[in-house]
Structures are given as structure tokens and as C-alpha cells.
Amino acid sequence: MSLPDLTIRPRRLRKTATIRRMVRETSLSVADFIYPLFVDEGITEAIEVKSMPGVSRIPLTDVEAAVKEVEALGIPGVILFGIPSQKDDIGASGWDDDGIVQQAIRAAKAACPDMCVIADTCFCEYTEHGHCGVLCGEEVDNDATLENLQKEAISYAKAGVDIVAPSGMMDGMSAAIRSALDDAGFTETPIMSYAVKYASGYFGPFRDAADSTPTFGDRASYQMDPANRREAIKEALLDVNEGADMLMVKPALAYMDIIREVKDATQLPMAVYNVSGEYAMVKAAAANGWIDEKRVVLETMLGFKRAGADLILSYHALDVARWLNDD
Ligand code: PBG
Ligand code: ZN
């Protein structure tokens, strides 16, 4: 038996750590990350989220320390989620200038003026029914919700937010928020749109953390069907046309193809959300000693970058920053 004539041997470039480093195509940086924070108006001490080991709901008084920790690690941004002490039918505390997110924005900016403070802009944490907007019967009324999103975005901007991030998958949400911000004089406040967000089982632990589980039905009439790929491009291009400044794809792990396609179809910076269920799975396996947590997490984050992500929202961000800073 004779061997083929191997003129091309890819292993030549894998021979040493130095060469591997020189031909590496993708890299991870602490600057790629955004860390989610859950601020609960109704508590005075942090409470760990059971399904998300290492993640807590924090009281307003802990925001300063939390943001300083993020900043000390070199992470450039946080995204805030608020759990109000009062909920109602329409989520009015979402646009209360003294609402929990507005207070958290002010606290975060006071503690770390250079931190990029992003506010998730939705209503599921503020409504009694847990849906992402105003109900009409059992349906979320798109256009009525847009009006409330406009008020919420302006209120966050007044509190000093750096970026608003509408996450409710309402049609026209980026355009509605853009015109409202502009009319109110906030022409320089960017929108990071959750442009491509699927109705996902991977949000389960988040809904424990943010107390936002719908009391009836599900979000399938506004979030996307996980089976759809073309529709993701349609949604992304709509947001580009509506004036969104950044796009997001969410969840991340089961949607790597979508991340790549949205990246190739658009020119905007793109974030991916490595969601709560993705985090919980890794944490559970790691706690059992079944996987090497650091290795698996870094590999996953690199995969998001390779797929086209410019920014990664992740509950692993603090650990990732520590690992990257150590190496
Ligand atoms: C609110 C919102 C959700 C997440 C981010 N913003 C939950 C949902 O749509 O039910 C999920 C984040 C995560 O799972 O980590 N619209
Ligand atoms: Zn929502």
C-alpha cells in the first residue's frame, strides 16, 4: 500500500503554539462583553437566582458595587433589567421617571460615568400578566404597546441611559422609539434592537430571575418561530430601515446559522444574547464535573465571534473577563 502524495499538510500550521497563535482567525476580548444585571425594587439584600448559579437579583443599593466590579474587569457595558415592586395591567412603572430601572441607570452612571449602561426596553417585568405589552383580549396590541415603548425609552434617556434595547418584538418598535427619542431631543441615544428574537425555551431561568413568566399563553404571537431562517433576515433588515444602530440575535447557541446570516446581510454592529438557559446548562454540567467549564465557555464565546458576533451579552461575562485577564 502506498501513501498519497501529500503536498498540502494543514498540520504544518498547527505544529507549535506560536504558529497556532499567528494563524488564529478569531479572538475574544473583554471589550466584546455586556453583563446583564437584575435590579429588584422589592429587596434589600441580593438573592441568588436558583436556576442561574452565580447570578443574583440585586437591590438598588448594590448597583454601584456591581457596576464597579464590571468596570474593574474591563467589561465596557451592562444591560439592566428591573423588577418593580408594583405591577399593573399595562406596565406603567416602565415609564415612571422614578421606576427601578431609571433609578438603577442613575446609580450606575453616577458610579461609573464611562460604563455603557444599556436598558432592556420591554414590559414583561412590569405587567401583572407577564406579556411584553398592552393586552387586547388575550393578544398583545402592537400599536398601543409602541406608544408605551416611546414613553419608556424617553424616560430611560432622561435618566441618562447610553443605549435603549427594545426586546418585545413589536412591529415598528425601532422606528417608533427613534422618532420619540428624536422628538424629545435625544437624537444621540442609540438603539440596540432585539431584531431577531425567537420564542425560545431557553429563556426559562431568566423568567425566574426577572419574574416575567406570562400568566397565560406564550410569546409565540410576537417572538419568532424557531423554524424560520428567511424571516430572521426580514426582521433584521426591517430594523436597519427603521434606524436601529445595532442588532441583536437571541438566543445564540441554537441559532449560530442565523448569527452568520444576519451578519452577512447587514452592516450594523451585531450583538448576540447567550441566554439564561444556555448559561444554566453549562453551569449544571460543570457543577457535576461533566465538563471543563472554562474551556467550554471560552470555546462557546469564540464560536459566537466566529459566527459573526461583535458583542456578546452573557452571564458568563465576569468569569470570561477574569480568565482573559489572567492569561
Ligand atoms: C424580555 C426579555 C427576555 C430576555 C431578555 N429580555 C425574556 C423573554 O422574552 O421572555 C431573555 C434573556 C435570557 O433568557 O437570558 N422581553
Ligand atoms: Zn418582554
Side-chain angles (χ1 to χ4, degrees):
M1 260 201 314
S2 65
L3 292 173
D5 184 10
L6 281 172
T7 50
I8 297 171
R9 292 178 178 270
R11 287 183 57 183
R12 285 178 198 129
L13 298 185
R14 294 179 204 138
K15 228 173 142 96
T16 67
T18 303
I19 294 185
R20 289 194 294 273
R21 191 170 148 234
M22 290 167 76
V23 299
R24 191 159 292 147
E25 298 175 38
T26 313
S27 65
L28 274 179
S29 154
V30 177
D32 300 331
F33 288 87
I34 296 167
Y35 186 61
L37 287 176
F38 298 99
V39 188
D40 187 337
E41 194 170 26
I43 58 175
T44 51
E45 267 175 51
I47 302 174
E48 183 164 83
V49 181
K50 285 210 172 55
S51 50
M52 300 175 72
V55 173
S56 296
R57 291 188 192 192
I58 60 170
L60 186 62
T61 47
D62 285 2
V63 168
E64 176 179 346
V67 175
K68 282 186 169 160
E69 181 183 20
V70 173
E71 184 170 71
L73 288 166
I75 296 169
V78 292
I79 182 163
L80 301 176
F81 297 93
I83 302 109
S85 44
Q86 298 286 351
K87 303 193 188 220
D88 65 19
D89 244 24
I90 56 172
S93 61
W95 63 86
D96 177 349
D97 288 345
D98 278 316
I100 183 61
V101 168
Q102 286 82 349
Q103 295 187 64
I105 292 166
R106 290 194 288 265
K109 291 303 290 183
C112 300
D114 292 334
M115 173 68 54
C116 178
V117 176
I118 305 167
D120 185 86
T121 306
C122 198
F123 292 105
C124 44
E125 297 96 342
Y126 305 102
T127 53
E128 279 159 354
H129 46 74
H131 279 285
C132 298
V134 180
L135 293 183
C136 179
E138 301 232 315
E139 284 296 307
V140 174
D141 182 330
N142 192 84
D143 299 9
T145 301
L146 291 184
E147 291 181 25
N148 292 344
L149 281 169
Q150 293 178 316
K151 293 185 263 185
E152 188 175 49
I154 290 171
S155 182
Y156 291 163
K158 282 197 286 186
V161 83
D162 291 297
I163 300 179
V164 292
S167 66
M169 289 298 283
M170 295 301 121
D171 293 338
M173 64 184 185
S174 292
I177 289 173
R178 182 74 273 147
S179 75
L181 288 173
D182 289 354
D183 288 350
F186 296 107
T187 55
E188 303 303 313
T189 303
I191 298 171
M192 175 191 279
S193 179
Y194 286 66
V196 180
K197 181 176 179 182
Y198 288 91
S200 173
Y202 284 99
F203 302 155
F206 172 92
R207 292 178 187 173
D208 298 337
D211 192 23
S212 63
T213 309
T215 53
F216 67 88
D218 56 30
R219 305 206 203 289
S221 73
Y222 39 105
Q223 298 179 347
M224 282 178 56
D225 184 333
N228 292 358
R229 191 169 62 112
R230 287 189 308 250
E231 193 187 358
I233 308 302
K234 173 181 165 181
E235 282 282 4
L237 293 177
L238 272 170
D239 275 278
V240 170
N241 281 329
E242 288 180 32
D245 300 280
M246 299 182 182
L247 302 175
M248 195 195 299
V249 174
K250 180 185 173 186
L253 218 38
Y255 299 88
M256 290 290 218
D257 56 331
I258 305 296
I259 296 170
R260 170 47 58 192
E261 294 219 34
V262 169
K263 179 67 170 186
D264 288 344
T266 62
Q267 306 294 326
L268 297 183
M270 187 183 56
V272 302
Y273 203 136
N274 172 221
V275 301
S276 57
E278 299 170 16
Y279 176 83
M281 292 194 304
V282 169
K283 286 304 225 185
N288 276 292
W290 296 337
I291 56 169
D292 175 339
E293 181 174 356
K294 174 179 174 182
R295 192 171 169 189
V296 165
V297 169
L298 290 176
E299 183 176 338
T300 304
M301 300 300 145
L302 194 63
F304 297 147
K305 291 288 299 287
R306 196 188 61 241
D310 298 298
L311 291 164
I312 302 168
L313 292 84
S314 180
Y315 306 100
H316 295 291
L318 302 184
D319 287 333
V320 170
R322 285 184 201 109
W323 294 326
L324 294 177
N325 292 338
D326 284 352
D327 290 348

